[in-house]
Amino acid sequence: MVVPVNVWEAIRAPAFGSVERRTVGHALGDHAYGESGIEFLLVDRSGPDQRTRTFRADVHFLADLPEVYRDGDNARLLPTGAIYNTVLALGARHTTAEPEVYALALAKRFLEAAPPVGTADIHLAASDLSPLEAGASPPGVRHFTAAPLPRDHARVTLSRDGGVAVRGGLRDVELFVTAGATFTGFARDEYTTTQVFTDRVFGARLDVTWRLADEEADYRGCRSRAHQALTEAFAGHTSRSSQHTFHHLGSAVLDACSGISEVLVEGVHLTRALVDLSPFGVENEGRVYTAADAPSSTVSVVVHRA
């Protein structure tokens, strides 16, 4: 949806030691590899309230493998097929876990399995399918329908020296208000044609990512409180601009969970222009709006504790 903004610098690998990486006239710099777009289902049938989630995993390694790039020597290279299989195998042990816990387990496993890897960066996106409540199901059987939005996501960056960053969040949060938003007093130049709005519809689709100060945090409880804070903050807010709204939402999430040290809110303002129906002899009194999402006005803001 949104190209992530690199607000938090990734934890880099420790010094590579005395490995000679130079050839005549050249020097090998940082190098990385991984496996992206690993998609699968996790089904938890451990209790009466069964849970089914779709997952997408992206795994990236910052590694010390000069011989692979320089000489084609693969003796220390963990194949990407092993990355794929590890994600699935550990998924079987984490069907009840929150994405942050699962991502931490993956990062620790990869550092154990691949000594040349200095930093493992794991990004998981997850969606819960919705249980169908209609009708009677046989014992032990649950029926589900399409996954709702928003999606959970987590990112763990773990380095061999013990440095760790744990981030959680919600993706594809879509919010919309039918009236009351404003946009006034903005700068103008010779190319500005934007109208002043004192009562406009306003929509946004955004990703919210928070950094957790404690890797043993209550991830599920924090995510639930953050989601509630987002919706309540939006419902009680009068938007003066996308930037104003995104900051307000980030502040609400920060207030909702004491374990969060900072929040990144990034996304797009969903421009919804009133359609001119006068050529057809039809009055459009705030009923029909455009829905195209391109071009998109992007906004991002980080809110942290003072």
Side-chain angles (χ1 to χ4, degrees):
M1 180 211 93
V2 178
V3 178
V5 177
N6 187 17
V7 174
W8 300 301
E9 184 176 339
I11 299 173
R12 303 186 64 77
F16 288 144
S18 60
V19 177
E20 178 59 48
R21 296 183 288 142
R22 291 184 175 271
T23 58
V24 176
H26 304 90
L28 178 65
D30 288 346
H31 40 281
Y33 77 104
E35 184 83 351
S36 296
I38 305 172
E39 297 188 358
F40 54 101
L41 284 171
L42 287 186
V43 180
D44 172 24
R45 295 187 288 187
S46 60
D49 294 327
Q50 297 180 14
R51 189 181 187 190
T52 300
R53 290 178 289 175
T54 61
F55 272 83
R56 176 190 168 101
D58 298 321
V59 179
H60 299 287
F61 298 152
L62 185 64
D64 177 19
L65 291 165
E67 72 278 14
V68 177
Y69 291 80
R70 185 185 58 213
D71 307 322
D73 179 356
N74 298 326
R76 298 194 305 144
L77 178 68
L78 184 71
T80 55
I83 297 174
Y84 178 90
N85 292 337
T86 301
V87 170
L88 299 184
L90 265 66
R93 305 175 196 168
H94 290 84
T95 56
T96 64
E98 290 305 296
E100 293 88 348
V101 174
Y102 181 18
L104 271 168
L106 284 170
K108 292 175 181 178
R109 166 61 188 173
F110 285 129
L111 290 185
E112 292 172 0
V117 174
T119 301
D121 185 40
I122 317 296
H123 190 189
L124 296 177
S127 297
D128 273 88
L129 273 67
S130 295
L132 292 178
E133 303 300 337
S137 298
V141 176
R142 291 299 303 271
H143 295 84
F144 293 85
T145 188
L149 294 177
R151 293 179 290 164
D152 300 343
H153 80 108
R155 185 169 184 177
V156 169
T157 307
L158 179 64
S159 62
R160 192 166 293 282
D161 64 4
V164 60
V166 180
R167 301 160 196 153
L170 296 164
R171 299 190 68 181
D172 297 323
V173 179
E174 189 158 332
L175 302 167
F176 188 80
V177 62
T178 61
T182 69
F183 190 53
T184 64
F186 46 84
R188 287 189 177 274
D189 65 6
E190 63 270 30
Y191 299 114
T192 302
T193 59
T194 303
Q195 296 178 337
V196 169
F197 292 96
T198 58
D199 185 22
R200 68 167 176 168
V201 300
F202 176 83
R205 184 183 301 120
L206 48 90
D207 294 346
V208 182
T209 305
W210 48 82
R211 184 164 183 166
L212 293 150
D214 181 4
E215 66 178 85
E216 302 296 329
D218 175 14
Y219 303 119
R220 190 169 191 177
C222 189
R223 183 174 284 106
S224 176
R225 293 192 297 275
H227 190 192
Q228 182 177 354
L230 281 170
T231 56
E232 291 179 353
F234 185 77
H237 171 68
T238 299
S239 176
R240 308 302 182 193
S241 66
S242 300
Q243 292 84 348
H244 178 225
T245 298
F246 281 31
H247 176 268
H248 180 72
L249 297 178
S251 298
V253 170
L254 202 64
D255 292 341
C257 186
S258 60
I260 293 176
S261 58
E262 58 185 350
V263 181
L264 166 66
V265 183
E266 55 183 341
V268 295
H269 169 207
L270 301 177
T271 302
R272 300 294 182 245
L274 198 65
V275 177
D276 181 10
L277 300 178
S278 60
F280 318 119
V282 177
E283 291 291 333
N284 187 9
E285 299 177 353
R287 291 185 175 88
V288 183
Y289 293 83
T290 57
D293 291 343
S296 297
S297 300
T298 60
V299 175
S300 68
V301 62
V302 173
V303 185
H304 54 79
R305 300 192 186 279

